[in-house]
Amino acid sequence: MFSQRIRKVMDPAAMVTLGPEATVSQAAQLIASNAVGAVLVVQDGVLQGIFTASDAVRRVLARGLDPSSTRLAEVMSSPVRTVDPDATYG
């Protein structure tokens, strides 16, 4: 398995995305309904950041921010470290 290319194990259809202007509440609903741990924040087909369930706790709730008005652009992790789809695990 460690010699497989990343593209062989990633399923683009399973990736959940929202734009940077989406709210934390919208992201939380997608995370819950899709049983994933994060949403990718994408604008014009370009990855801008990532927002995780942990971010919701640490960057939103713990700071007393309103999830229904806080935009992902304000609290997402960015830049995101990526890997080439032809890279291998090892």
Side-chain angles (χ1 to χ4, degrees):
M1 176 166 137
F2 290 110
S3 63
Q4 282 191 359
R5 300 209 183 282
I6 299 295
R7 75 171 63 248
K8 294 284 188 179
V9 296
M10 294 301 298
D11 180 7
M15 295 179 194
V16 179
T17 64
L18 282 172
E21 295 304 312
T23 66
V24 169
S25 289
Q26 291 170 314
Q29 290 168 2
L30 276 180
I31 287 170
S33 65
N34 287 280
V36 295
V39 295
L40 301 176
V41 183
V42 177
Q43 185 171 34
D44 298 325
V46 177
L47 180 63
Q48 302 294 314
I50 189 168
F51 183 77
T52 68
S54 177
D55 290 333
V57 173
R58 293 182 298 107
R59 295 180 175 180
V60 181
L61 298 177
R63 293 181 185 170
L65 300 177
D66 180 0
S68 64
S69 64
T70 302
R71 304 286 175 210
L72 294 182
E74 302 171 51
V75 291
M76 67 185 183
S77 296
S78 180
V80 178
R81 296 176 88 190
T82 61
V83 63
D84 187 279
D86 288 318
T88 59
Y89 281 99

